[in-house]
Amino acid sequence: MTTYLIKGASIVGAEPTDLLIRDGVVAAVGRDAAAPGAEVIDADGLIALPGLVDLHTHLREPGREDAETVMSGSRAAALGGYTAVCAMANTDPVADTAGVVEQVWRLGQAAGLVDVRPVGAVTVGLAGERLAELGAMATSAAAVRIFSDDGHCVSDPRLMRRALEYVKAFDGVIAQHAEEPRLTVGAQLHEGELSGRLGLAGWPAVAEEAIIARDALLAGHVGSRLHICHVSTAGSVEIIRGAKRAGIRITAEVTPHHLLLTDARAESYDPVFKVNPPLRTDTDVAALRAGLAEGVIDAVATDHAPHAVEDKECEWQYARPGMLGLETALSIVMSTKSLSWDGIAERMSRVPARIAGLDGHGRDPAPGVPANLTLVDPAATWVVEPAELASLSRNTPYAGMELPGRVMATFLAGRPTVLDGKATK
Amino acid sequence: MTNLEQSPDRGGITGHLLSAADLDAAAATQVLDTAAELAALSDRSVKKLPTLRGRTVVNLFYEDSTRTRISFEAAAKRLSADVINFSVKGSSVSKGESLKDTALTLQAMGADAVVIRHAASGAPHRLARWVDGSVVNAGDGTHEHPTQALLDAYTMRSRLGRLSGLTVAIVGDVLHSRVARSNALLLNTLGADVTLVGPPTLLPVGVDSWPVKTSYDLDAVLPTVDVVMALRVQRERMEDSFFPSAREYARRYGLDAARLRKLPEHAIVMHPGPMNRGMEIAPDVADSPRSTIVEQVANGVSVRMAVLYLLLGGQV
Amino acid sequence: MAYPSSVEQTDSGGAAGTGRLAAKVVVNGADLARIVDRIAHQILEKTDGARDCVLLGIPTRGVPLARRLAARIEAFEGFLPPAGALDVTLYRDDLRLRGARAVGHTDLPPAGIDGKQVILVDDVLFSGRTVRAALDALKDLGRPRLVQLAVLVDRGHRELPIRADYVGKNIPTSLVENVRVRLTETDGSDEVRLEDQVGGAA
């Protein structure tokens, strides 16, 4: 295994220093870090962050390998500075058995570019009717800790209560896709002035907020952990703030696109801006940024959702919801200027690693810590060119935008997955 | 999106007609004036004009709408355009060819204009990105139906002599109505005052930001209007609890003889068709001399001729 | 009808008056009135006293010219021949090149044109394409016994085998020149001006 000497990196914004990476761990930090024969990486002006951890990634394999594979998604993740991703369960077949989650986990190991941690489905086939074998997935080789029907809400309150209770046995967490389905029948776009004008069925904020409020109360009642996926409204931030204040064990994530874009993008009817939950308003964006900075929202998660061209190059209402996110997440968060380097490390690495129970991730580079880290050039900018992204799909909402920050290198357990801004495989 | 360019030199509209918002007052008035001249020509023995000879107009209909298709077909044929009718059954992507592939086919055929009717809001906007010809929105989902609004405005102007300052009530299922959206925009552009009337469940969220007034009380509005337009209300809405029953809807929002008497002497009654007689409009009201429902159909051809002429007449 | 502008127009016959470098008044208000009188007489001669005659002006300036001719015929003969308007926009062959134009008004006398002697009236005869369009438009409106053409100015450069039966004034022009006809009804004064395209014309 090659030894690397990273010279002149600023660890989470601190004074520049050197890092020695050997045998999968950070062997030494400081000006005296040196080793004969080490490959030197000039990190002058670069920021070293603990490898980013994504709580919410769709890798599409098995089932839609035309849109993304574990390999292509892993490459995108590494290029985005990630060292761990939680792969959502809505594949085909659904990841609702130990067999499927182990398959995804093994594909991730084989790809070797990022730690792929499968998320297990809460209910069989995501149908919301009966619990999947959560325990079997937890004790499988994939060691599943996060369970989610993401894409669907576990809307039956009784079933949700049972799931919250059941996963306590193995320290699991239910990640809820908060969407009251009866309030979002046929919904296409944030319910507001624009949905009315464009004649697209509205997706009201209350459909998210009602479920978050209900589930927070349920989690408090049964003393379980609850995680809320892709929080999108100002009202949700308020509810989560109140729940935390009441001592409920609730965590929440926000996507980069909900931190930047608003429903105004839908005016063109270009489905690249169709996503679930939908893009909201300026007020919501401001509340989400503030909530993230404050810690009411614990983590940034990409909800990276690749879709084949034919699922986006069509009429808005027939298009699938979702956007690419892995390769642009860090730059988008930087562009919002709402977090310091420490804030970025906290919201994009340390806290999500804790939520997902990933001990080897989310730790700032220090002697003895597993070498999962990324080097970012904060001064570089780049223009998003969909065809140049590593994802097999092209559905980025940021095409043509110039973004700040460029991932120059990423290390997974001491091995480079990205060097000179290019994936190593 | 700016679809129509105003050019003093050409004095007309070019590009596409996707939304009534694409028309400013001058462009909308030009359409109505042109339609008026064309209507005068329709009385003569030879109805056909050579204007669009050699041009191809495709009627791309993803929804059954015989009346709209025939209206566009008659308009295009009276201007001597070649008309290709392309009806696509079924509207989901899983069935048959995608809109984009169809668009590329039409592009290859050299369509100068594509008149599209589609169940999905915004489908014409998507199509406009994929074809070079002019796209005319003939009704998209619950979004807009700009030529219907133009023919309604034409009908109002020819009956009442003006549009500026008219008070127009549009009654019924505004939420799902493309006719209401286009009319609200166009009539506002042309200086009329629009009031949208219906049960709160059928007025869209955010309607307060539209350039209109709203009311839940039809009887209070009627004495002040010059025009009352009843929208088609689909009975299925009842199943989805937008209102309790057809009977209650008719009682609160249906145009019947008693309500007709509340209108000012000169006021007219309009309906975009097809009507649910006995639901949003009583049969004797639909057939009364105040009703313009038959005229609306005739005016539709002149207005669509004007739109096709103005969009295609100058296209190289 | 008074033509108050004629004096002013004569005064401004030079370039300085209008600020345009190469504009020259070739027909002033008084000339124009005499020309209309002459054409009216010629029509009377050549159409057997303008019996069954219909004067159809081609918008924009052909329409007031047709009305003036009708009025002069009335002054000479004591009866007013019907005058109307024939818009040819929808029959033009240059729409693709020049863009959709506002459609003008067509206004036929109540008795129509079947069996009548139709005299088309326009301000300037140039390529002949407008007249061709008018002949096409006419055939869709009825079947005249005879069609003639009266123009205020013939500037040459015909592109079609078309000639005028009545010409107010032949003005040989170069293609870089423009003939501007102004009429009181449409422009506030009567005159015909020859303009250099660069210097003056629209």
Side-chain angles (χ1 to χ4, degrees):
Chain A
M1 202 172 188
T2 316
T3 301
Y4 290 91
L5 179 62
I6 299 171
K7 289 190 76 74
S10 156
I11 299 176
V12 197
E15 283 302 305
T17 186
D18 299 343
L19 290 90
L20 188 67
I21 294 177
R22 187 166 55 200
D23 299 331
V25 296
V26 178
V29 173
R31 284 297 173 191
D32 54 344
E39 191 166 314
V40 175
I41 294 172
D42 176 12
D44 186 34
L46 305 188
I47 305 288
L49 293 173
L52 306 184
V53 175
D54 191 17
L55 289 171
H56 197 141
T57 309
H58 297 274
L59 292 178
R60 301 294 183 228
E61 188 174 359
R64 283 308 296 265
E65 290 83 354
D66 57 326
E68 197 79 290
T69 61
V70 171
M71 183 68 203
S72 65
S74 293
R75 196 178 287 125
L79 286 164
Y82 286 89
T83 53
V85 299
C86 299
M88 276 298 168
N90 62 340
T91 48
D92 183 15
V94 171
D96 58 0
T97 61
V100 178
V101 293
E102 282 192 1
Q103 183 199 348
V104 172
W105 179 74
R106 291 220 163 82
L107 286 166
Q109 294 290 109
L113 285 165
V114 69
D115 208 347
V116 174
R117 308 304 298 241
V119 172
V122 177
T123 67
V124 175
L126 310 174
E129 284 164 5
R130 50 200 180 84
L131 287 185
E133 289 184 349
L134 308 180
M137 291 189 271
T139 54
S140 72
V144 174
R145 287 293 175 276
I146 300 177
F147 298 89
S148 181
D149 274 2
D150 180 63
H152 301 267
C153 183
V154 181
S155 64
D156 178 345
R158 206 162 94 117
L159 189 59
M160 186 62 183
R161 175 207 165 129
R162 297 279 185 256
L164 285 166
E165 285 177 311
Y166 191 79
V167 299
K168 284 203 282 187
F170 34 85
D171 197 27
V173 60
I174 304 295
Q176 175 69 296
H177 170 115
E179 175 184 357
E180 166 51 55
R182 293 287 295 152
L183 287 175
T184 57
V185 175
Q188 298 293 326
L189 180 64
H190 169 66
E191 183 170 84
E193 190 271 329
L194 195 65
S195 64
R197 188 149 57 79
L198 295 184
L200 292 171
W203 200 127
V206 65
E208 173 174 307
E209 293 155 5
I211 291 292
I212 295 177
R214 181 201 76 177
D215 288 356
L217 293 171
L218 281 174
H221 181 62
V222 299
S224 296
R225 280 172 68 200
L226 168 69
H227 179 73
I228 305 297
C229 297
H230 41 54
V231 170
S232 70
T233 78
S236 297
V237 175
E238 279 315 299
I239 292 165
I240 293 164
R241 191 195 312 275
K244 286 188 165 180
R245 206 170 278 154
I248 292 166
R249 296 166 71 202
I250 185 172
T251 55
E253 69 189 36
V254 63
T255 69
H257 47 267
H258 287 113
L259 289 173
L260 185 71
L261 306 175
T262 66
D263 63 344
R265 301 274 171 166
E267 193 123 25
S268 64
Y269 289 100
D270 185 342
V272 79
F273 299 109
K274 179 171 172 175
V275 65
N276 191 17
L279 300 176
R280 304 286 185 185
T281 66
D282 287 324
T283 313
D284 297 301
V285 167
L288 292 167
R289 289 183 183 188
L292 183 69
E294 200 187 325
V296 173
I297 293 175
D298 302 84
V300 174
T302 65
D303 196 2
H304 177 81
H307 286 298
V309 171
E310 65 270 22
D311 290 328
K312 283 290 189 182
E313 285 278 271
C314 61
E315 298 86 331
W316 178 282
Q317 76 185 53
Y318 304 149
R320 291 176 181 271
M323 302 171 165
L324 298 184
L326 286 169
E327 287 169 82
T328 46
L330 179 60
S331 291
I332 296 299
V333 171
M334 285 174 67
S335 77
T336 68
K337 297 186 167 67
S338 34
L339 295 177
S340 62
W341 288 115
D342 188 64
I344 287 174
E346 187 75 0
R347 303 280 161 244
M348 299 187 76
S349 178
R350 299 174 200 142
V351 175
R354 230 160 31 232
I355 292 170
L358 301 175
D359 293 337
H361 294 271
R363 295 168 69 182
D364 289 2
V369 167
N372 297 313
L373 58 95
T374 187
L375 298 173
V376 185
D377 183 350
T381 61
W382 61 296
V383 175
V384 181
E385 174 51 59
E388 287 172 9
L389 296 176
S391 173
L392 294 183
S393 294
R394 299 282 172 265
N395 55 309
T396 173
Y398 312 114
M401 281 175 63
E402 183 174 349
L403 299 179
R406 179 104 234 204
V407 170
M408 300 311 295
T410 305
F411 285 84
L412 175 66
R415 293 177 197 274
T417 55
V418 174
L419 276 181
D420 292 329
K422 294 185 183 66
T424 54
K425 58 175 172 177
Chain B
M1 196 185 289
T2 307
N3 303 298
L4 297 171
E5 293 159 23
Q6 294 296 311
S7 126
D9 189 35
R10 302 174 54 159
I13 58 176
T14 59
H16 311 293
L17 180 59
L18 304 180
S19 160
D22 295 340
L23 300 166
D24 63 12
T29 303
Q30 189 191 26
V31 174
L32 301 185
D33 290 347
T34 304
E37 294 298 341
L38 293 167
L41 297 179
S42 70
D43 296 337
R44 56 189 219 177
S45 54
V46 181
K47 290 189 170 54
K48 209 171 172 100
L49 293 158
T51 318
L52 297 182
R53 205 169 53 200
R55 305 306 191 86
T56 302
V57 174
V58 175
N59 283 323
L60 178 59
F61 274 56
Y62 284 83
E63 275 188 334
D64 284 332
S65 175
T66 310
R67 63 170 58 213
T68 305
R69 185 181 57 72
I70 287 176
S71 183
F72 271 106
E73 186 171 350
K77 284 184 169 165
R78 280 196 197 164
L79 292 169
S80 301
D82 296 321
V83 179
I84 297 172
N85 288 315
F86 194 168
S87 291
V88 187
K89 296 290 174 205
S91 52
S92 104
V93 263
S94 58
K95 298 175 204 157
E97 191 176 55
S98 75
L99 178 62
K100 185 173 184 184
D101 287 337
T102 303
L104 298 179
T105 305
L106 300 179
Q107 177 70 11
M109 284 163 49
D112 295 293
V114 183
V115 175
I116 178 173
R117 170 76 152 231
H118 201 294
S121 299
H125 300 67
R126 301 293 290 154
L127 183 68
R129 291 173 63 100
W130 299 321
V131 296
D132 291 336
S134 294
V135 174
V136 179
N137 182 356
D140 63 326
T142 54
H143 179 226
E144 282 212 49
H145 194 355
T147 61
Q148 176 73 40
L150 283 164
L151 77 88
D152 289 339
Y154 181 93
T155 305
M156 290 175 211
R157 194 176 76 163
S158 58
R159 271 281 188 121
L160 301 169
R162 71 198 160 102
L163 287 164
S164 182
L166 287 186
T167 301
V168 181
I170 300 175
V171 186
D173 184 359
V174 176
L175 180 63
H176 300 97
S177 174
R178 45 198 175 205
V179 176
R181 275 175 186 73
S182 287
N183 262 297
L185 289 166
L186 185 72
L187 289 171
N188 179 64
T189 300
L190 292 170
D193 288 319
V194 178
T195 304
L196 302 176
V197 186
T201 45
L202 292 176
L203 296 178
V205 165
V207 74
D208 35 318
S209 64
W210 295 17
V212 297
K213 299 189 190 78
T214 56
S215 172
Y216 308 139
D217 184 354
L218 180 58
D219 292 305
V221 168
L222 287 176
T224 65
V225 303
D226 302 298
V227 179
V228 58
M229 181 187 299
L231 300 172
R232 177 177 169 78
V233 176
Q234 292 178 337
R235 279 167 200 276
E236 306 91 89
R237 305 292 177 214
M238 196 164 74
E239 313 302 324
D240 214 359
S241 293
F242 283 103
F243 51 88
S245 67
R247 195 173 58 171
E248 175 156 328
Y249 183 87
R251 198 170 287 163
R252 292 177 65 83
Y253 297 102
L255 286 179
D256 56 16
R259 289 207 163 98
L260 199 60
R261 285 192 292 275
K262 293 185 177 168
L263 288 170
E265 199 79 0
H266 67 276
I268 57 172
V269 176
M270 305 183 74
H271 191 295
M275 290 180 279
N276 290 311
R277 286 171 183 259
M279 179 91 167
E280 70 267 5
I281 192 163
D284 46 345
V285 174
D287 300 332
S288 85
R290 290 175 158 213
S291 156
T292 63
I293 294 162
V294 178
E295 277 162 73
Q296 284 171 267
V297 175
N299 294 340
V301 176
S302 305
V303 162
R304 286 165 181 135
M305 284 173 78
V307 167
L308 289 174
Y309 165 65
L310 292 168
L311 285 175
L312 291 186
Q315 216 178 60
V316 181
Chain C
M1 194 177 291
Y3 300 134
S5 58
S6 59
V7 175
E8 180 204 328
Q9 295 304 320
T10 309
D11 286 348
S12 67
T18 59
R20 290 188 177 110
L21 284 175
K24 184 172 75 178
V25 172
V26 290
V27 177
N28 65 27
D31 298 338
L32 203 145
R34 278 193 291 274
I35 289 171
V36 171
D37 279 3
R38 193 182 77 234
I39 296 177
H41 279 298
Q42 289 174 339
I43 289 173
L44 284 166
E45 278 171 28
K46 286 179 73 171
T47 58
D48 193 15
R51 269 191 295 129
D52 290 333
C53 236
V54 174
L55 294 152
L56 289 181
I58 298 172
T60 306
R61 291 178 187 77
V63 179
L65 277 177
R67 293 216 184 86
R68 286 194 199 182
L69 285 170
R72 297 316 289 156
I73 288 170
E74 185 185 27
F76 303 143
E77 293 293 303
F79 78 96
L80 181 70
L86 177 67
D87 184 64
V88 304
T89 310
L90 297 165
Y91 291 85
R92 298 196 75 96
D93 63 3
D94 58 355
L95 285 171
R96 284 189 186 220
L97 304 177
R98 304 192 45 182
R101 307 165 175 218
V103 176
H105 193 58
T106 291
D107 180 18
L108 294 189
I113 57 168
D114 285 345
K116 300 286 184 352
Q117 305 192 76
V118 169
I119 298 171
L120 296 172
V121 182
D122 204 358
D123 53 352
V124 179
L125 179 58
F126 187 21
S127 67
R129 289 179 189 272
T130 302
V131 176
R132 184 207 60 81
L135 292 171
D136 285 350
L138 214 49
K139 108 183 154 302
D140 285 353
L141 291 167
R143 189 179 182 285
R145 180 163 68 79
L146 174 99
V147 181
Q148 293 184 333
L149 174 64
V151 297
L152 188 59
V153 174
D154 183 346
R155 63 167 293 191
H157 302 289
R158 212 77 73 245
E159 295 166 6
L160 293 170
I162 281 170
R163 61 158 185 81
D165 301 89
Y166 313 100
V167 178
K169 191 173 175 66
N170 281 295
I171 305 179
T173 57
S174 118
L175 281 171
V176 299
E177 288 171 317
N178 245 338
V179 176
R180 292 281 280 187
V181 173
R182 294 167 60 90
L183 295 175
T184 310
E185 295 91 327
T186 51
D187 311 287
S189 62
D190 280 354
E191 71 172 2
V192 179
R193 211 153 54 184
L194 200 56
E195 292 174 344
D196 187 71
Q197 265 183 358
V198 185

PDB file of all heavy atoms in Angstrom, chain A residues 145-158:
ATOM      1  N   ARG A 145     -28.292  -0.049   9.330  1.00  0.00           N
ATOM      2  CA  ARG A 145     -28.741   0.696  10.513  1.00  0.00           C
ATOM      3  C   ARG A 145     -29.856   1.677  10.180  1.00  0.00           C
ATOM      4  O   ARG A 145     -30.637   2.066  11.018  1.00  0.00           O
ATOM      5  CB  ARG A 145     -27.568   1.458  11.137  1.00  0.00           C
ATOM      6  CG  ARG A 145     -26.578   0.553  11.860  1.00  0.00           C
ATOM      7  CD  ARG A 145     -27.211  -0.073  13.099  1.00  0.00           C
ATOM      8  NE  ARG A 145     -26.321  -1.045  13.742  1.00  0.00           N
ATOM      9  CZ  ARG A 145     -26.210  -2.327  13.373  1.00  0.00           C
ATOM     10  NH1 ARG A 145     -26.956  -2.794  12.379  1.00  0.00           N
ATOM     11  NH2 ARG A 145     -25.378  -3.135  14.002  1.00  0.00           N
ATOM     12  N   ILE A 146     -29.873   2.145   8.913  1.00  0.00           N
ATOM     13  CA  ILE A 146     -30.913   3.101   8.517  1.00  0.00           C
ATOM     14  C   ILE A 146     -31.954   2.353   7.688  1.00  0.00           C
ATOM     15  O   ILE A 146     -31.600   1.593   6.773  1.00  0.00           O
ATOM     16  CB  ILE A 146     -30.334   4.254   7.686  1.00  0.00           C
ATOM     17  CG1 ILE A 146     -29.267   5.009   8.497  1.00  0.00           C
ATOM     18  CG2 ILE A 146     -31.435   5.218   7.246  1.00  0.00           C
ATOM     19  CD1 ILE A 146     -28.588   6.135   7.722  1.00  0.00           C
ATOM     20  N   PHE A 147     -33.208   2.569   8.044  1.00  0.00           N
ATOM     21  CA  PHE A 147     -34.296   1.943   7.295  1.00  0.00           C
ATOM     22  C   PHE A 147     -35.204   3.039   6.764  1.00  0.00           C
ATOM     23  O   PHE A 147     -35.543   3.984   7.484  1.00  0.00           O
ATOM     24  CB  PHE A 147     -35.076   0.990   8.197  1.00  0.00           C
ATOM     25  CG  PHE A 147     -34.226  -0.131   8.704  1.00  0.00           C
ATOM     26  CD1 PHE A 147     -33.511  -0.009   9.896  1.00  0.00           C
ATOM     27  CD2 PHE A 147     -34.093  -1.302   7.969  1.00  0.00           C
ATOM     28  CE1 PHE A 147     -32.693  -1.029  10.358  1.00  0.00           C
ATOM     29  CE2 PHE A 147     -33.269  -2.333   8.426  1.00  0.00           C
ATOM     30  CZ  PHE A 147     -32.564  -2.203   9.625  1.00  0.00           C
ATOM     31  N   SER A 148     -35.577   2.918   5.503  1.00  0.00           N
ATOM     32  CA  SER A 148     -36.398   3.968   4.903  1.00  0.00           C
ATOM     33  C   SER A 148     -37.187   3.415   3.720  1.00  0.00           C
ATOM     34  O   SER A 148     -36.665   2.599   2.952  1.00  0.00           O
ATOM     35  CB  SER A 148     -35.522   5.127   4.422  1.00  0.00           C
ATOM     36  OG  SER A 148     -36.332   6.133   3.871  1.00  0.00           O
ATOM     37  N   ASP A 149     -38.403   3.879   3.597  1.00  0.00           N
ATOM     38  CA  ASP A 149     -39.198   3.589   2.400  1.00  0.00           C
ATOM     39  C   ASP A 149     -39.072   4.734   1.401  1.00  0.00           C
ATOM     40  O   ASP A 149     -39.936   4.935   0.554  1.00  0.00           O
ATOM     41  CB  ASP A 149     -40.680   3.391   2.765  1.00  0.00           C
ATOM     42  CG  ASP A 149     -40.983   1.952   3.187  1.00  0.00           C
ATOM     43  OD1 ASP A 149     -40.029   1.135   3.230  1.00  0.00           O
ATOM     44  OD2 ASP A 149     -42.154   1.644   3.473  1.00  0.00           O
ATOM     45  N   ASP A 150     -37.994   5.497   1.495  1.00  0.00           N
ATOM     46  CA  ASP A 150     -37.849   6.750   0.749  1.00  0.00           C
ATOM     47  C   ASP A 150     -38.399   6.663  -0.672  1.00  0.00           C
ATOM     48  O   ASP A 150     -38.163   5.697  -1.393  1.00  0.00           O
ATOM     49  CB  ASP A 150     -36.393   7.180   0.663  1.00  0.00           C
ATOM     50  CG  ASP A 150     -36.265   8.472  -0.115  1.00  0.00           C
ATOM     51  OD1 ASP A 150     -36.812   9.479   0.337  1.00  0.00           O
ATOM     52  OD2 ASP A 150     -35.659   8.449  -1.209  1.00  0.00           O
ATOM     53  N   GLY A 151     -39.085   7.703  -1.044  1.00  0.00           N
ATOM     54  CA  GLY A 151     -39.879   7.694  -2.279  1.00  0.00           C
ATOM     55  C   GLY A 151     -41.342   7.508  -1.918  1.00  0.00           C
ATOM     56  O   GLY A 151     -42.237   7.992  -2.588  1.00  0.00           O
ATOM     57  N   HIS A 152     -41.532   6.798  -0.809  1.00  0.00           N
ATOM     58  CA  HIS A 152     -42.869   6.616  -0.244  1.00  0.00           C
ATOM     59  C   HIS A 152     -42.805   6.969   1.232  1.00  0.00           C
ATOM     60  O   HIS A 152     -41.809   6.720   1.889  1.00  0.00           O
ATOM     61  CB  HIS A 152     -43.334   5.163  -0.370  1.00  0.00           C
ATOM     62  CG  HIS A 152     -43.373   4.674  -1.772  1.00  0.00           C
ATOM     63  ND1 HIS A 152     -44.492   4.734  -2.550  1.00  0.00           N
ATOM     64  CD2 HIS A 152     -42.403   4.116  -2.540  1.00  0.00           C
ATOM     65  CE1 HIS A 152     -44.219   4.237  -3.747  1.00  0.00           C
ATOM     66  NE2 HIS A 152     -42.948   3.855  -3.769  1.00  0.00           N
ATOM     67  N   CYS A 153     -43.916   7.486   1.724  1.00  0.00           N
ATOM     68  CA  CYS A 153     -44.014   7.778   3.146  1.00  0.00           C
ATOM     69  C   CYS A 153     -44.567   6.543   3.853  1.00  0.00           C
ATOM     70  O   CYS A 153     -45.446   5.874   3.320  1.00  0.00           O
ATOM     71  CB  CYS A 153     -44.978   8.954   3.321  1.00  0.00           C
ATOM     72  SG  CYS A 153     -45.168   9.506   5.020  1.00  0.00           S
ATOM     73  N   VAL A 154     -44.011   6.237   5.019  1.00  0.00           N
ATOM     74  CA  VAL A 154     -44.685   5.234   5.855  1.00  0.00           C
ATOM     75  C   VAL A 154     -45.861   5.991   6.490  1.00  0.00           C
ATOM     76  O   VAL A 154     -45.716   6.639   7.520  1.00  0.00           O
ATOM     77  CB  VAL A 154     -43.749   4.659   6.930  1.00  0.00           C
ATOM     78  CG1 VAL A 154     -44.467   3.603   7.750  1.00  0.00           C
ATOM     79  CG2 VAL A 154     -42.492   4.075   6.287  1.00  0.00           C
ATOM     80  N   SER A 155     -46.985   5.964   5.795  1.00  0.00           N
ATOM     81  CA  SER A 155     -48.066   6.880   6.174  1.00  0.00           C
ATOM     82  C   SER A 155     -48.986   6.296   7.229  1.00  0.00           C
ATOM     83  O   SER A 155     -49.622   7.039   7.975  1.00  0.00           O
ATOM     84  CB  SER A 155     -48.872   7.291   4.944  1.00  0.00           C
ATOM     85  OG  SER A 155     -49.517   6.178   4.387  1.00  0.00           O
ATOM     86  N   ASP A 156     -49.032   4.983   7.328  1.00  0.00           N
ATOM     87  CA  ASP A 156     -49.886   4.347   8.345  1.00  0.00           C
ATOM     88  C   ASP A 156     -49.259   4.587   9.724  1.00  0.00           C
ATOM     89  O   ASP A 156     -48.161   4.107  10.002  1.00  0.00           O
ATOM     90  CB  ASP A 156     -49.978   2.850   8.034  1.00  0.00           C
ATOM     91  CG  ASP A 156     -50.818   2.106   9.071  1.00  0.00           C
ATOM     92  OD1 ASP A 156     -51.089   2.660  10.154  1.00  0.00           O
ATOM     93  OD2 ASP A 156     -51.194   0.949   8.793  1.00  0.00           O
ATOM     94  N   PRO A 157     -49.933   5.322  10.587  1.00  0.00           N
ATOM     95  CA  PRO A 157     -49.305   5.692  11.870  1.00  0.00           C
ATOM     96  C   PRO A 157     -49.001   4.483  12.746  1.00  0.00           C
ATOM     97  O   PRO A 157     -48.017   4.474  13.493  1.00  0.00           O
ATOM     98  CB  PRO A 157     -50.340   6.620  12.521  1.00  0.00           C
ATOM     99  CG  PRO A 157     -51.618   6.383  11.808  1.00  0.00           C
ATOM    100  CD  PRO A 157     -51.277   5.902  10.434  1.00  0.00           C
ATOM    101  N   ARG A 158     -49.821   3.462  12.640  1.00  0.00           N
ATOM    102  CA  ARG A 158     -49.603   2.281  13.477  1.00  0.00           C
ATOM    103  C   ARG A 158     -48.345   1.544  13.031  1.00  0.00           C
ATOM    104  O   ARG A 158     -47.515   1.145  13.836  1.00  0.00           O
ATOM    105  CB  ARG A 158     -50.824   1.369  13.359  1.00  0.00           C
ATOM    106  CG  ARG A 158     -51.024   0.486  14.563  1.00  0.00           C
ATOM    107  CD  ARG A 158     -52.432  -0.033  14.551  1.00  0.00           C
ATOM    108  NE  ARG A 158     -52.482  -1.321  13.907  1.00  0.00           N
ATOM    109  CZ  ARG A 158     -52.856  -2.425  14.566  1.00  0.00           C
ATOM    110  NH1 ARG A 158     -53.186  -2.360  15.832  1.00  0.00           N
ATOM    111  NH2 ARG A 158     -52.913  -3.578  13.937  1.00  0.00           N
TER     112      ARG A 158
END
